Amino acid sequence: MKTSNATWIIAKRELSAFFNSLVAYILLISFLGFTGFFTWLSGNGDVFFRKQADLKVFFMIANWTLFFFIPAVTMRLLAEEKRSGTIELLLTKNVSDRQMVLGKYLSAFLMVLIALAFTIPYYLSVSQLGNFDHGATLSGYLGLILLSSAYIGIGLFASSLTNNQIVAFLLALLLGICFQFIFGVLANGSTGWISELFNTLSLTSHFDSISRGVIDSKDVVYFLSITFLGIFLSEYIISKRK
Amino acid sequence: MNIRIENLTKSYGDQKAVDSISFEVKTGEVLGFLGPNGAGKSTTMKMITHYLNIDAGNITIDGRSVRNTDMKKHIGYLPEHNPLYEDMPVIDYLRFVAELQGVDAVKLDDRVKDMVRLCGLNDEKHKKINELSKGYRQRVGLAQAMIHDPEILILDEPTTGLDPNQIVEIRELIRTLGNSKTVILSTHILPEVEATCDRILIINKGKIVADGTAETLRKTASGSQVLRVKIQAPSQDEVKESVSQLAGVALVEKVEGSENRLEIQSHVDQNVNEAIFRLCVDKNWVLTEMVPFETKLEDIFRDLTMN
């Protein structure tokens, strides 16, 4: 009871800090703008061009938008606390390192959920257009949520390493690129168990199968592992001040 | 609640920031923590508040080690440089801290109001913290430290950035709180320690070099008494010579830039006031001034921390 309480109070403050600055609005508008444009208006490849009532385009674009969107959300979470010294204020209250890190994670996660909630009208309208696979779409949303969670883990870890927000942002992108691209390329360029290993680490293959509607426990475990590793490492880095 | 610190040690790499210090603070006591920059004051405070781990030794509060993280709730802490969430309005910030410290939801509003009143923040309560002057920021820092009515207050330089009026207010506040709570405060301002603290602890290079009230520190620093006297007599040289021949007088010097004034240092534990008075009566001199000269805390501090 007490444990979850401090986490929730911190998450709530963080979330209201997003909305009190322009950060939340800029990010929401750009997220909805990008995904909306490519889903509905881009002409080449949008829902009307493909003449299929599904959200495949949306899931693909959302993956890439979140790739930039989430580091922008997570960059300040721990880096700014460290820069301004407020971390000392927080951790000398009745709050443990873990509660603080979890609170930060939760705030970014809620931010992403809010962004995704705004795309529910896409879902509702496309589902009216023709033969619509609700299962595959819900699975796609689950994929986006899991993917976001993993990105937040990565971003949080990047933010714990520095007290400079820009460095945290770039570091999160760099780590993200590894998972998005580099591991995939390395998997193709090698053979045997090494190829196998990089293929498992590559985020793309896991996300693709989920966004097609195939929920495999392996993929779920993959995303959750990155999330937990990110949170765990952040907590470890923060506790090293001692 | 009583705080007991035993052989507390903390190192950064090879350097010992705090080197086996021990002391005790009791309820109703205000302890002033003095020392040059980098002496280990803040490090000690950070260990008491569990921001830093203890390398060796122990800190106990009423017999329980602060290694138990639940001891944090008994402590109110104002960190050095007073970090605050700049983008929050004062009142939201205080509510946030109160929630975090587990203040009862029913009492929360009252508690926040009390703190706003106590720290004189009423006119500023809806302003964002980054719009406040340094003095008001400091008050917000104090308010957040006291919001959950902790039994122990750890204040790292609580009066920096305040104007003289505010300093007096804050000192009075600390004195009042000190009656019922355990307070440790650090400062660079020496008169402040005398004005607010029951006891002084001087720390240098991680070690305690003095511990006691301002009075006892003075006594141990210089056991001898210094008097400043002004005697009207035909010949000042004769005065000087006669005085230096009195029993108990160790040293007589003319005070520069002022005629007829002498500074007289006595031997340890000897009182020469009476002898000087009698000398003047015998010789028919006029004694117009006799002032005991107190050793300044600044001098004691310099003696102990410069080598």
Side-chain angles (χ1 to χ4, degrees):
Chain A
M1 165 77 202
K2 201 86 200 166
T3 315
S4 54
N5 211 4
T7 304
W8 172 239
I9 295 164
I10 289 169
K12 224 169 48 178
R13 194 209 74 82
E14 206 61 50
L15 203 60
S16 73
F18 283 137
F19 282 95
N20 282 331
S21 64
L22 284 175
V23 181
Y25 303 100
I26 294 171
L27 288 173
L28 282 177
I29 289 167
S30 52
F31 175 72
L32 294 172
F34 270 112
T35 54
F37 176 77
F38 284 104
T39 310
W40 301 103
L41 300 169
S42 71
N44 198 352
D46 69 18
V47 169
F48 306 112
F49 178 85
R50 295 174 67 237
K51 296 193 166 51
Q52 277 181 26
D54 63 28
L55 284 174
K56 270 220 178 72
V57 195
F58 166 69
F59 291 134
M60 201 188 74
I61 296 300
N63 174 8
W64 284 106
T65 324
L66 290 170
F67 177 75
F68 290 102
F69 176 101
I70 289 173
V73 171
T74 55
M75 65 180 186
R76 58 184 286 279
L77 288 178
L78 296 167
E80 181 60 16
E81 295 275 353
K82 284 172 36 166
R83 191 200 58 78
S84 68
T86 44
I87 189 164
E88 189 175 348
L89 214 62
L90 217 47
L91 293 178
T92 51
K93 301 281 178 282
N94 201 10
V95 177
S96 69
D97 292 10
R98 173 163 302 167
Q99 287 171 336
M100 184 197 66
V101 172
L102 283 175
K104 298 286 179 177
Y105 166 83
L106 188 62
S107 70
F109 188 67
L110 291 173
M111 184 72 217
V112 170
L113 286 188
I114 291 168
L116 289 179
F118 278 109
T119 68
I120 289 174
Y122 299 2
Y123 173 93
L124 295 176
S125 24
V126 174
S127 68
Q128 302 300 312
L129 294 177
N131 207 357
F132 188 73
D133 187 345
H134 288 278
T137 308
L138 289 177
S139 158
Y141 268 102
L142 178 69
L144 279 185
I145 290 171
L146 287 170
L147 174 95
S148 305
S149 174
Y151 279 155
I152 294 169
I154 293 168
L156 198 63
F157 170 60
S159 185
S160 74
L161 290 173
T162 170
N163 49 20
N164 182 321
Q165 295 192 33
I166 307 295
V167 173
F169 178 75
L170 294 175
L171 203 59
L173 277 190
L174 193 70
L175 288 169
I177 288 171
C178 286
F179 283 98
Q180 277 281 3
F181 274 124
I182 300 187
F183 293 151
V185 171
L186 288 174
N188 287 335
S190 52
T191 52
W193 66 272
I194 299 177
S195 167
E196 195 76 358
L197 174 75
F198 280 122
N199 202 33
T200 315
L201 283 175
S202 167
L203 192 140
T204 330
S205 58
H206 295 282
F207 179 67
D208 283 350
S209 63
I210 271 196
S211 70
R212 272 201 309 271
V214 186
I215 302 176
D216 188 334
S217 58
K218 259 201 315 211
D219 302 327
V220 177
V221 167
Y222 170 80
F223 287 117
L224 292 182
S225 309
I226 297 182
T227 309
F228 285 124
L229 196 66
I231 293 174
F232 173 79
L233 287 176
S234 308
E235 188 193 335
Y236 173 72
I237 301 281
I238 293 296
S239 74
K240 265 181 56 180
R241 72 170 190 282
K242 294 179 166 181
Chain B
M1 292 178 120
N2 302 339
I3 306 173
R4 178 198 276 270
I5 290 175
E6 290 164 298
N7 303 319
L8 187 69
T9 302
K10 176 88 193 169
S11 324
Y12 296 116
D14 290 340
Q15 203 189 357
K16 280 191 172 167
V18 175
D19 192 356
S20 191
I21 65 172
S22 305
F23 62 90
E24 231 179 302
V25 199
K26 295 198 169 63
T27 311
E29 198 173 21
V30 181
L31 179 78
F33 220 29
L34 281 175
N37 285 320
K41 290 171 293 177
S42 292
T43 307
T44 307
M45 289 181 153
K46 283 176 188 181
M47 282 190 276
I48 299 174
T49 54
H50 204 267
Y51 183 68
L52 294 176
N53 278 342
I54 299 166
D55 279 359
N58 204 358
I59 302 173
T60 54
I61 295 173
D62 275 1
R64 276 200 81 201
S65 171
V66 296
R67 288 189 172 96
N68 300 300
T69 51
D70 62 317
M71 296 311 282
K72 282 199 284 190
K73 65 172 180 278
H74 300 293
I75 301 175
Y77 177 42
L78 172 68
E80 202 183 1
H81 310 310
N82 190 21
L84 297 164
Y85 288 115
E86 303 285 334
D87 53 355
M88 282 179 105
V90 172
I91 198 131
D92 290 2
Y93 176 66
L94 291 178
R95 289 187 60 96
F96 164 69
V97 175
E99 272 186 67
L100 214 50
Q101 294 283 31
V103 174
D104 217 327
V106 191
K107 292 184 199 149
L108 198 133
D109 278 323
D110 285 341
R111 200 60 209 151
V112 171
K113 264 186 219 154
D114 282 352
M115 282 301 117
V116 165
R117 190 157 28 80
L118 192 66
C119 298
L121 285 164
N122 205 33
D123 295 336
E124 322 285 325
K125 65 182 172 203
H126 295 299
K127 280 193 191 162
K128 280 192 176 178
I129 290 171
N130 58 17
E131 295 165 18
L132 299 181
S133 66
K134 206 169 175 198
Y136 278 109
R137 288 174 54 95
Q138 203 67 21
R139 292 176 188 216
V140 176
L142 278 168
Q144 65 85 25
M146 298 185 297
I147 196 136
H148 58 305
D149 198 17
E151 288 104 325
I152 294 168
L153 276 172
I154 310 286
L155 309 171
D156 206 344
E157 300 186 13
T159 55
T160 39
L162 300 180
D163 67 39
N165 294 334
Q166 293 168 335
I167 289 181
V168 171
E169 281 172 38
I170 296 295
R171 280 182 193 164
E172 264 166 26
L173 182 63
I174 292 172
R175 276 242 69 100
T176 328
L177 289 168
N179 290 333
S180 52
K181 298 180 193 305
T182 316
V183 183
I184 300 181
L185 68 89
S186 78
T187 178
H188 288 299
I189 310 163
L190 296 164
E192 177 159 301
V193 191
E194 287 206 87
T196 41
C197 303
D198 302 309
R199 218 174 98 210
I200 299 170
L201 203 75
I202 301 180
I203 170 171
N204 188 35
K205 294 186 178 151
K207 286 187 192 297
I208 293 176
V209 289
D211 181 358
T213 61
E215 246 165 83
T216 54
L217 285 191
R218 280 211 180 85
K219 265 207 185 113
T220 46
S222 59
S224 55
Q225 187 193 30
V226 179
L227 284 176
R228 195 173 265 206
V229 297
K230 190 173 180 182
I231 297 170
Q232 280 177 11
S235 157
Q236 283 300 312
D237 292 334
E238 196 197 337
V239 172
K240 194 179 169 194
E241 214 178 294
S242 319
V243 170
S244 43
Q245 279 162 6
L246 286 174
V249 171
L251 192 72
V252 182
E253 268 177 3
K254 277 195 172 155
V255 176
E256 303 228 358
S258 135
E259 267 177 72
N260 303 350
R261 273 208 183 82
L262 294 174
E263 212 168 85
I264 301 163
Q265 197 179 346
S266 65
H267 284 297
V268 176
D269 290 333
Q270 298 226 21
N271 208 327
V272 293
N273 305 24
E274 207 181 311
I276 292 169
F277 180 73
R278 293 208 180 287
L279 178 74
C280 293
V281 172
D282 286 350
K283 302 257 182 183
N284 211 13
W285 294 336
V286 185
L287 180 63
T288 53
E289 214 179 281
M290 170 139 54
V291 187
F293 202 65
E294 286 199 317
T295 317
K296 279 195 264 160
L297 212 50
E298 275 88 348
D299 297 332
I300 300 172
F301 182 80
R302 283 176 63 85
D303 274 357
L304 290 167
T305 57
M306 302 258 292
N307 25 33

